């Protein structure tokens, strides 16, 4: 029985969404295949296909093979990701990125703006507005109809309201709500979430994890956080703070963390912690000393260059010591969650195979055997566009769960 509140239009939109998801997942389909697999009538399939071809969600690809009885060759249809557009945004500690994307999170146009340390919120909002306007203008120039905005940022985000509740590494964001202004100005929905949650969605939809049931997507930058999918569902927790794994205490009397505790995992194993430690011992390495004197600080470029030059100090700290401290947290996560995969994101992945092989070896030795045998640890292959792809994945996921927004009318066609 259908609820009385479910209108005919709701049923039609639901059927339309179901059909589009089927086409998207299958790659290439014919009308007879849709009728058979979804149980829709031939007139319903024909009407919905023709409608979505006109709207740009589906495109005609060619003719299929005729049946064994010599019947007509069926038309082949496929998903058209460029038929509509979205905007993906990432607010990071050092920069804001924004991109016009298609419905497979392919970047069509991108703009970035660096952020100064201790940037004020009004300056950040002004930059955001400017970048979004550039993407909207580019969409109009390309005649792309925009469906929504996805945004990722560091911190605890109330997903229902779009408000940043807490951001230890970027406190300027705290208590700010994003999206309302853009909804009013551009008449499109906006979704905001923690950057690690978005990375988890990006990997699931467009990266390495795919159909894996339980995955941890670990981001190691200024801090450490995780986007966690359990049984194929993204978990946000009772107060949206699920995945704040960087504040797991791994050393009782360790370094003071911004959160107020001591010995948090991110104070020993994040990218920032690694760079700080290498700066401390830079005087023992000629290549690090030179880089530090030239720039006043070390960057991951300097560390990669030092490793390529076979610098022993860098090898000892960036591979051996880092792998030990990072593996403490990884081992705990493997034992707690028993995941299919842990995907590591962030600049630390530039340390490459030497670090990855050590992490795999140590976790296999230290984690419980059953969990250790199950888990696959890898570095993300989404590259430096991972945050934007994640923001795009958030928007796409929500659109495909909200047909009223996905199939919003484009008055120009």
């Amino acid at each position: 029985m259908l609820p009385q509140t479910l209108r005919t239009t709701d049923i039609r939109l639901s059927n339309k969404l179901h059909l589009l998801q089927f086409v998207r997942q299958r790659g290439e389909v014919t009308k007879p295949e849709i009728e058979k697999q979804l149980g829709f009538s031939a007139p319903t399939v024909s009407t919905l296909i023709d409608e979505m071809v006109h709207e740009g969600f589906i495109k005609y690809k060619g003719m299929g093979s005729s049946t064994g009885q010599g019947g007509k060759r069926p038309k082949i249809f496929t998903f058209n990701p460029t038929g509509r557009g979205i905007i993906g945004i990432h607010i990071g500690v050092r920069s804001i990125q924004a991109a016009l994307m298609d419905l497979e999170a392919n970047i069509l146009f991108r703009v970035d703006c660096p952020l100064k340390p201790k940037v004020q919120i009004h300056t950040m909002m002004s930059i955001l507005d400017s970048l979004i306007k550039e993407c909207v203008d580019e969409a109009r120039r390309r005649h792309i109809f925009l469906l929504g905005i996805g945004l990722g940022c560091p911190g605890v985000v109330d997903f229902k309201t779009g408000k940043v509740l807490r951001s230890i590494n970027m406190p300027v964001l705290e208590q700010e709500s994003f999206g309302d202004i853009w909804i009013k100005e551009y008449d499109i929905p906006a979704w905001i979430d923690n950057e690690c949650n978005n990375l988890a969605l990006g990997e699931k939809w467009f990266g390495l994890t795919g159909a894996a049931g339980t995955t941890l997507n670990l981001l190691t930058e200024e801090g450490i956080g995780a986007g966690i999918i359990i049984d194929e569902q993204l978990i946000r927790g009772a107060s949206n703070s699920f995945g704040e794994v960087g504040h797991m205490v791994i050393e009782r009397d360790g370094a003071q963390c911004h959160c107020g505790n001591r010995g948090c995992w991110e104070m020993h194993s994040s990218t920032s912690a690694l760079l700080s430690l290498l700066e401390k011992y830079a005087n023992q390495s000629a290549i690090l000393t030179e880089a530090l004197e030239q720039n006043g600080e070390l960057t991951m470029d300097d560390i990669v260059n030092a490793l390529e030059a076979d610098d022993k100090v860098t090898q000892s700290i960036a591979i051996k010591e880092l792998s030990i401290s990072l593996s403490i947290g990884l081992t705990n996560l493997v034992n707690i969650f028993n995941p299919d995969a842990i995907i590591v994101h962030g600049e630390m992945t530039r340390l490459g195979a030497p670090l990855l092989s050590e992490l795999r070896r140590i976790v296999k030795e230290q984690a419980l055997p059953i969990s250790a045998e199950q888990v696959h640890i890898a570095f993300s292959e989404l590259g430096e566009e991972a945050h934007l792809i994640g923001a795009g994945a958030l928007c796409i996921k929500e659109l495909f769960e909200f047909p009223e927004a996905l199939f919003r009318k484009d008055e120009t066609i």
Side-chain angles (χ1 to χ4, degrees):
M1 247 179 111
L2 292 174
Q4 291 182 354
T5 54
L6 190 63
R7 305 184 303 273
T8 304
T9 51
D10 295 327
I11 297 171
R12 188 175 186 283
L13 277 179
S14 178
N15 287 342
K16 188 174 179 179
L17 177 61
H18 196 186
L19 194 155
L20 182 60
Q21 288 174 325
F22 179 76
V23 174
R24 183 176 179 273
Q25 291 164 4
R26 291 290 289 267
E28 297 180 0
V29 296
T30 63
K31 289 181 181 180
E33 287 175 334
I34 296 171
E35 294 164 20
K36 181 179 179 181
Q37 294 296 322
L38 299 186
F40 293 171
S41 68
T44 296
V45 171
S46 186
T47 298
L48 292 178
I49 285 287
D50 291 347
E51 186 175 303
M52 285 193 280
V53 167
H54 176 69
E55 292 171 340
F57 289 104
I58 291 174
K59 60 184 177 182
Y60 167 68
K61 188 171 183 181
M63 301 298 293
S65 302
S66 61
T67 63
Q69 290 74 32
K72 290 175 60 178
R73 295 172 63 195
K75 291 181 178 179
I76 297 175
F77 297 93
T78 187
F79 178 61
N80 179 26
T82 60
R84 291 288 190 274
I86 60 170
I87 293 174
I89 304 168
H90 178 249
I91 301 174
V93 173
R94 293 187 289 270
S95 69
I96 298 177
Q97 306 168 336
L100 172 65
M101 314 172 88
D102 67 17
L103 293 183
E104 286 186 344
N106 295 305
I107 294 175
L108 309 176
F109 171 79
R110 173 175 169 172
V111 282
D112 295 16
C113 183
L115 291 179
K116 295 181 179 179
K118 298 182 180 179
V119 62
Q120 298 298 306
I121 190 62
H122 66 274
T123 301
M124 181 181 295
M125 294 302 292
S126 177
I127 293 170
L128 271 171
D129 291 341
S130 176
L131 297 184
I132 291 171
K133 187 177 185 304
E134 285 191 60
C135 290
V136 170
D137 289 345
E138 182 65 18
R140 288 171 178 164
R141 190 183 71 79
R142 298 183 183 218
H143 305 289
I144 295 174
F145 186 61
L146 289 172
L147 294 179
I149 296 173
L151 182 146
C153 63
V156 177
V157 179
D158 184 335
F159 183 69
K160 292 180 180 179
T161 65
K163 177 183 282 189
V164 180
L165 304 177
R166 183 85 191 276
S167 184
I168 292 172
N169 291 310
M170 208 169 181
V172 67
L173 297 175
E174 291 183 2
Q175 302 307 308
E176 289 298 323
S177 294
F178 298 91
D180 288 346
I181 297 174
W182 310 325
I183 292 170
K184 291 176 182 177
E185 186 167 352
Y186 301 112
D187 191 31
I188 52 176
W191 292 276
I192 295 89
D193 206 350
N194 171 269
E195 59 188 350
C196 298
N197 289 342
N198 289 353
L199 289 174
L201 292 176
E203 284 293 344
K204 182 169 180 57
W205 281 55
F206 307 111
L208 293 174
T209 57
T214 298
T215 62
L216 279 63
N217 285 266
L218 198 72
L219 177 62
T220 59
E221 290 187 341
E222 280 70 23
I224 297 178
I228 300 174
I229 292 176
I230 297 177
D231 293 335
E232 301 197 24
Q233 295 296 316
L234 180 67
I235 308 298
R236 293 190 174 91
S239 54
N240 297 284
S241 63
F242 201 77
E244 291 292 325
V245 297
H247 300 287
M248 174 194 331
V249 175
I250 66 166
E251 188 173 327
R252 183 177 177 182
D253 297 318
Q256 180 80 44
C257 181
H258 304 296
C259 74
N261 288 332
R262 285 190 171 276
C264 290
W265 188 26
E266 67 180 43
M267 295 306 296
H268 298 271
S269 308
S270 65
T271 301
S272 294
L274 171 65
L275 293 174
S276 295
L277 188 60
L278 283 165
E279 287 178 3
K280 181 179 179 180
Y281 290 98
N283 61 353
Q284 298 180 19
S285 161
I287 192 169
L288 293 182
T289 298
E290 182 180 356
L292 191 57
E293 288 176 350
Q294 286 181 348
N295 305 313
E297 62 179 6
L298 293 179
T299 66
M300 193 54 70
D301 284 339
D302 299 323
I303 309 313
V304 171
N305 291 337
L307 287 174
E308 290 175 349
D310 200 28
D311 181 71
K312 301 304 180 185
V313 172
T314 306
Q315 287 177 345
S316 175
I317 295 174
I319 304 300
K320 294 179 181 178
E321 289 191 34
L322 177 63
S323 64
I324 292 170
S325 64
L326 200 54
S327 293
I328 295 173
L330 287 176
T331 299
N332 289 338
L333 294 176
V334 169
N335 289 340
I336 293 168
F337 291 101
N338 185 203
D340 295 287
I342 296 178
I343 309 299
V344 181
H345 297 257
E347 280 195 300
M348 195 176 289
T349 61
R350 296 179 60 193
L351 300 180
L355 176 61
L356 180 59
S357 62
E358 278 297 286
L359 294 177
R360 287 172 171 170
R361 180 186 65 79
I362 297 171
V363 170
K364 189 169 184 178
E365 288 178 356
Q366 296 183 348
L368 294 173
I370 293 177
S371 299
E373 288 297 328
Q374 171 69 25
V375 69
H376 174 64
I377 300 174
F379 287 169
S380 174
E381 296 178 0
L382 294 179
E384 62 97 20
E385 295 178 341
H387 282 299
L388 286 173
I389 293 171
L394 168 67
C395 185
I396 294 166
K397 175 184 178 294
E398 294 302 317
L399 285 170
F400 272 82
E401 293 179 359
F402 184 29
E404 289 83 356
L406 180 63
F407 297 122
R408 195 165 60 93
K409 281 290 184 183
D410 179 0
E411 302 298 339
T412 65
I413 61 174

